[in-house]
Amino acid sequence: VRECSRLFISNSDMRQVNSLRKFIVKVAVGTSPVILFALACVYYNVFVHPEISGDLGALAKIPLGWEYNDRMNEPRFADCKVRHFGEDSVAGRIFTIGDSFSQQGINGYQNFLGHQLDEIISNYPVLSSDRPEDIAIGLLNSGFFDHRPQIERVIVESVERELTQRLLEVDFSCVHDGPRPHSDVDAPPASGEFLHRMVAQTKDWLLFRLHIARPNVRSVDLTSEMFTLVGKDNQLYFYAEDLNRLSVTDEEQVVMSENLRAMHDAFRSRGIKMLYMIAPDKYEVYQYYAVNNPYPEKILGRQLEALDSLGFVVNPIRRMRQMLDAGCKDLYMAHDTHWSPVAAAEVAEMLRERIVESSPE
């Protein structure tokens, strides 16, 4: 009886041990993804995120470091001749309206132009959701320029991948009263918002690294070293949306030309000279220097050269390719969609030439 009792107790203990073991295994299996993700979160935010720079680096979660970014964005001037227009600002003689290429501040084309002409350039703060063409027409319709007779010239800038749709859909009846306030992007995020952002970015990084999702960034090798980013000097990173619009039809070209001419005439009727400047897409500029390019040819830039015949369109695409043929490096920034100060200075010179040619003095 004593031996049977001991055996019964032993079997009972074993059943409890087995049950506990199964419970621990289930808990471990159930929580291991959470633990692994938490470890990935720590790794991404400690080692990867601090090394991400440039808008393309941020989109693809590529740690390209900050040495190149800091070097490329080092101010070329001690002062800035660009004034972002606000309600209390006094506009200068030249007024620019454009997307992100017109918001580059001290290293933007307006500051180079301001130093070349030795005058202040006023820039209108365009939100990312706005169309510069509609803003320009809207300000004209609202009487904005009537109250600022010192403005003699307006430069409207538009990035290539967006301008086709923008020019096809110009709203000549819109009214825009003035600058709308920007959100305070420099304000530190709340702790909950910061945590949510870091978790979301870690998830994207994991999906990209595991090839479960594809970032909105493409890359291709180049025939020679066209950038000075260490380890990436012959690699082209570009925004995938550069491939969304590869060309235009003849009918679309006609509408675009007509709408541009109508914009120019509307400004001329108010005594204002208008220039329309195209910011070529990064892929457009570099595509013919790619090795075994798997992406389609983009001929939109060549088609847009036909707009030069209007007499008030500035398209830097041809001069940029000449610069690349001559061995120019970092024409666009390796880790970013935008051109570098090198290209900004050249674009400013093209604008200065056009302004001088059309100025009576």
Side-chain angles (χ1 to χ4, degrees):
V1 172
R2 191 177 294 114
E3 289 296 328
C4 288
S5 176
R6 190 179 296 115
L7 180 62
F8 176 78
I9 293 171
S10 177
N11 289 338
S12 176
D13 289 343
M14 285 302 297
R15 284 195 295 270
Q16 290 180 3
V17 169
N18 288 335
S19 297
L20 181 60
R21 184 183 296 116
K22 290 178 181 179
F23 173 75
I24 292 174
V25 170
K26 288 181 180 179
V27 170
V29 171
T31 58
S32 58
V34 177
I35 295 173
L36 290 173
F37 185 78
L39 291 174
C41 234
V42 172
Y43 179 82
Y44 172 78
N45 290 293
V46 172
F47 297 104
V48 179
H49 185 264
E51 294 299 313
I52 289 177
S53 61
D55 58 5
L56 294 174
L59 280 172
K61 303 295 181 287
I62 305 173
L64 297 173
W66 284 90
E67 184 277 331
Y68 176 83
N69 182 85
D70 294 342
R71 175 160 48 85
M72 294 306 300
N73 290 299
E74 183 179 353
R76 268 53 173 182
F77 301 97
D79 62 325
C80 188
K81 288 186 177 291
V82 184
R83 299 291 184 270
H84 294 293
F85 185 82
E87 291 182 0
D88 299 327
S89 301
V90 177
R93 182 175 70 97
I94 300 174
F95 198 79
T96 63
I97 305 171
D99 47 43
S100 58
F101 281 85
S102 295
Q103 315 302 324
Q104 291 182 277
I106 196 167
N107 282 337
Y109 71 90
Q110 301 106 314
N111 194 35
F112 283 92
L113 180 62
H115 279 274
Q116 290 170 3
L117 297 175
D118 193 25
E119 62 179 283
I120 297 298
I121 307 294
S122 299
N123 178 62
Y124 189 85
V126 175
L127 302 180
S128 59
S129 59
D130 290 331
R131 300 181 175 192
E133 297 81 356
D134 287 349
I135 293 291
I137 291 296
L139 291 174
L140 195 65
N141 290 339
S142 71
F144 177 89
F145 296 104
D146 296 335
H147 298 299
R148 295 165 179 85
Q150 72 275 20
I151 299 177
E152 300 175 7
R153 187 180 301 274
V154 170
I155 300 172
V156 181
E157 173 271 316
S158 197
V159 67
E160 181 185 339
R161 62 178 167 269
E162 300 285 351
L163 69 82
T164 298
Q165 210 58 36
R166 290 172 176 175
L167 288 178
L168 291 175
E169 300 173 351
V170 177
D171 184 1
F172 286 96
S173 64
C174 68
V175 175
H176 193 79
D177 295 327
R180 290 178 291 187
H182 285 259
S183 59
D184 190 0
V185 294
D186 296 325
S191 57
E193 180 186 350
F194 178 80
L195 180 62
H196 179 270
R197 183 184 303 171
M198 290 297 98
V199 168
Q201 291 185 2
T202 302
K203 181 196 72 174
D204 291 341
W205 172 71
L206 281 172
L207 293 175
F208 296 158
R209 296 292 81 79
L210 296 173
H211 302 288
I212 297 173
R214 193 180 188 190
N216 206 14
V217 174
R218 303 290 179 265
S219 67
V220 65
D221 291 336
L222 299 172
T223 55
S224 61
E225 297 176 357
M226 294 187 167
F227 301 101
T228 59
L229 176 61
V230 176
K232 305 288 185 181
D233 44 21
N234 69 332
Q235 187 164 14
L236 174 68
Y237 289 107
F238 66 94
Y239 192 29
E241 292 192 10
D242 286 1
L243 302 170
N244 285 358
R245 169 70 79 157
L246 301 173
S247 63
V248 292
T249 65
D250 293 341
E251 292 77 12
E252 287 174 330
Q253 271 192 295
V254 170
V255 174
M256 292 164 64
S257 295
E258 290 176 347
N259 284 342
L260 266 178
R261 190 177 288 107
M263 285 179 61
H264 181 265
D265 291 345
F267 276 98
R268 186 173 58 180
S269 69
R270 305 288 183 89
I272 300 172
K273 298 175 182 177
M274 189 198 90
L275 286 175
Y276 187 81
M277 187 178 72
I278 300 169
D281 294 333
K282 191 176 183 181
Y283 176 73
E284 172 77 75
V285 175
Y286 286 91
Q287 60 179 320
Y288 300 115
Y289 307 92
V291 177
N292 299 322
N293 189 0
Y295 305 107
E297 181 183 9
K298 185 168 188 173
I299 64 171
L300 179 59
R302 290 205 305 269
Q303 291 178 315
L304 293 176
E305 289 182 4
L307 298 176
D308 294 351
S309 62
L310 295 174
F312 56 86
V313 175
V314 177
N315 186 358
I317 181 67
R318 185 175 300 176
R319 192 171 296 190
M320 287 185 172
R321 290 208 176 117
Q322 291 171 350
M323 294 173 71
L324 289 179
D325 289 339
C328 179
K329 294 186 178 183
D330 295 315
L331 188 61
Y332 280 64
M333 290 184 281
H335 65 337
D336 205 279
T337 57
H338 299 92
W339 53 42
S340 71
V342 175
E346 190 65 26
V347 167
E349 176 59 23
M350 293 181 69
L351 289 169
R352 187 198 67 80
E353 291 170 0
R354 191 67 63 89
I355 290 170
V356 170
E357 287 173 3
S358 60
S359 297
E361 61 274 14

